[in-house]
Amino acid sequence: MGMPLRQSLRVGGYVLKNKLARRDRFPLLLELEPLFACNLACAGCGKIQHPADVLKQRMPVEQALAAVRECGAPMVSIAGGEPLMHPKIGELVGELVRMRRYVFLCTNAALIPRKIDRFEPSPYFAWAVHIDGLRERHDASVCKDGVFDEAVAAIRMCKERGFRVTTNTTVFNTDTPQTVIEVLNYLNDDLGVDQMMISPAYAYEKAPDQEHFLGVQETRSLFQKAFANGNRKRWRFNHSPLFLDFLEGKVDFPCTAWAIPSYSLKGWQRPCYLMDDGYAETYRELLEDTDWDAYGRGRDPRCANCMARRSSMTAPIAAVRASASSTRPGSSETPKHSSRETPSAATARGAPGASGTTG
């Protein structure tokens, strides 16, 4: 199962409109980071390693809305840091819903009981709760006991109040196919979340823990085994089937970093998300002044360390591009199996699939 029908139609129509307009690059999901501060300090997170003065900053609501309008993406993933620490997060989400953007609020869920009254259920809004495993594994991942139970209680509260709830599970090399199966079974069958996202962990250079990111073959083997025996079809994923094929190593896609621009307190981040290539002042500057061909399979050698960071939402674009190219005379641009054997970073975001994780 992929995204809800209404959302699929909206996003599909948006992609088709841009393809008919012959736009080669266009945003699909905006990664919005209105703060960097977090109430947890996860060992695998590289997003909270900022000076104290930066961690105290909060993006004004109008600045965030202006970025959404400037970008024009139909989906917005609000990440951080922990977005619920923003004093006007409810106002920001409400305005985005009124703009008919599909909003995913990425959270560790600890603050949901205190902040839930600031939100209203809507087909345009979903919580994206960070769940890295069952109790022991999740609490170890976030480096604090009791967080798993708080998150489960918060998910139940949200479901009781009529909210759509998705989850985001990040996998490390300490996981096994069985631990992945166990947590997805629990979320799917016992907790009854609407949809789930899963991905290998980002290889953040500034993350305290650098020992547990998955390599390419480890990633493929883990997901091949976890998805076997009909599990992949049974679980309610908020992923394109193309992305799941990608995780299993069945297919490869060109990097489409332009599809998920990131806007934070520092401005428009130049790709990719894991590299420190500076910021652009405007979205147009980001789009027009970036050497996009240097990324992915391009000339930048740092990209050799990337396998799975590409979001589930960029895979359909890559597939559309490949399909369109294959219909042109002399075209040979088709998805290829990757032969790279370097360590992987991963798509912890996603929105929707691509929503960013919060620690």
Side-chain angles (χ1 to χ4, degrees):
M1 177 185 292
M3 66 178 69
L5 179 60
R6 179 188 299 196
Q7 184 181 342
S8 296
L9 293 174
R10 169 78 178 280
V11 173
Y14 170 83
V15 171
L16 180 61
K17 179 180 178 180
N18 278 278
K19 297 306 295 183
L20 291 175
R22 297 184 180 278
R23 297 188 183 97
D24 290 328
R25 300 186 178 100
F26 49 90
L28 191 57
L29 178 140
L30 171 62
E31 185 76 24
L32 180 65
E33 298 176 323
L35 79 173
F36 293 125
C38 190
N39 54 339
L40 295 176
C42 305
C45 178
K47 297 301 293 182
I48 59 173
Q49 313 301 322
H50 292 281
D53 61 323
V54 175
L55 293 177
K56 292 178 182 178
Q57 297 177 25
R58 305 291 184 265
M59 185 183 294
V61 171
E62 187 48 49
Q63 180 182 341
L65 296 177
V68 174
R69 297 188 192 99
E70 182 183 5
C71 172
M75 298 182 291
V76 180
S77 172
I78 305 179
E82 171 50 62
L84 289 180
M85 292 178 66
H86 195 293
K88 295 187 177 181
I89 187 63
E91 178 183 343
L92 173 58
V93 169
E95 290 297 326
L96 291 175
V97 168
R98 279 187 279 276
M99 292 168 63
R100 296 297 188 266
R101 296 301 199 275
Y102 286 94
V103 181
F104 297 83
L105 197 155
C106 305
T107 176
N108 56 50
L111 297 176
I112 285 180
R114 290 166 48 188
K115 302 293 184 75
I116 194 170
D117 290 337
R118 303 185 186 187
F119 303 88
E120 295 182 1
S122 167
Y124 291 95
F125 174 67
W127 301 97
V129 179
H130 180 74
I131 299 287
D132 274 356
L134 297 181
R135 183 179 291 106
E136 182 178 350
R137 297 191 69 78
H138 180 73
D139 287 353
S141 176
V142 301
C143 304
K144 185 178 180 180
D145 292 339
V147 177
F148 176 82
D149 290 336
E150 291 179 354
V152 168
I155 289 173
R156 295 189 190 280
M157 175 185 294
C158 292
K159 293 290 292 180
E160 289 172 357
R161 296 203 183 189
F163 287 96
R164 181 173 171 230
V165 180
T166 65
T167 56
N168 191 3
T169 298
T170 307
V171 179
F172 296 85
N173 65 11
T174 50
D175 281 292
T176 66
Q178 187 58 36
T179 64
V180 171
I181 290 170
E182 288 172 354
V183 68
L184 293 180
N185 277 345
Y186 178 76
L187 295 172
N188 190 84
D189 302 334
D190 296 80
L191 207 51
V193 300
D194 293 279
Q195 290 180 307
M196 302 174 293
M197 295 172 283
I198 189 167
S199 125
Y202 274 102
Y204 286 111
E205 292 183 358
K206 294 182 179 180
D209 181 1
Q210 291 290 316
E211 301 298 321
H212 296 114
F213 296 114
L214 283 160
V216 172
Q217 290 304 322
E218 290 176 308
T219 298
R220 292 172 178 168
S221 176
L222 186 148
F223 284 105
Q224 287 169 4
K225 293 175 182 177
F227 290 166
N229 302 317
N231 284 334
R232 175 173 152 173
K233 294 182 178 180
R234 183 173 60 83
W235 291 325
R236 294 187 295 274
F237 281 124
N238 190 21
H239 285 306
S240 161
L242 297 173
F243 177 65
L244 300 179
D245 286 343
F246 180 72
L247 289 180
E248 292 190 65
K250 294 178 178 179
V251 67
D252 194 19
F253 296 101
C255 181
T256 53
W258 42 265
I260 306 184
S262 177
Y263 183 77
S264 72
L265 291 161
K266 294 186 176 183
W268 294 95
Q269 183 173 351
R270 296 190 184 279
C272 95
Y273 195 71
L274 302 181
M275 299 177 187
D276 188 14
D277 282 354
Y279 295 82
E281 292 187 6
T282 66
Y283 176 70
R284 171 167 286 189
E285 177 187 342
L286 173 73
L287 195 63
E288 296 180 354
D289 294 350
T290 300
D291 184 3
W292 298 101
D293 292 333
Y295 296 91
R297 296 201 188 103
R299 299 184 301 275
D300 196 313
R302 295 170 299 176
C303 295
N305 289 326
C306 171
M307 180 191 106
R309 69 173 175 269
R310 289 160 282 186
S311 158
S312 62
M313 303 312 300
T314 67
I317 297 181
V320 169
R321 294 179 68 186
S323 176
S325 299
S326 66
T327 62
R328 297 196 299 267
S331 173
S332 61
E333 183 183 347
T334 55
K336 300 176 181 178
H337 290 271
S338 173
S339 60
R340 287 168 290 173
E341 303 298 336
T342 50
S344 72
T347 320
R349 20 179 131 149
S355 295
T357 58
T358 55

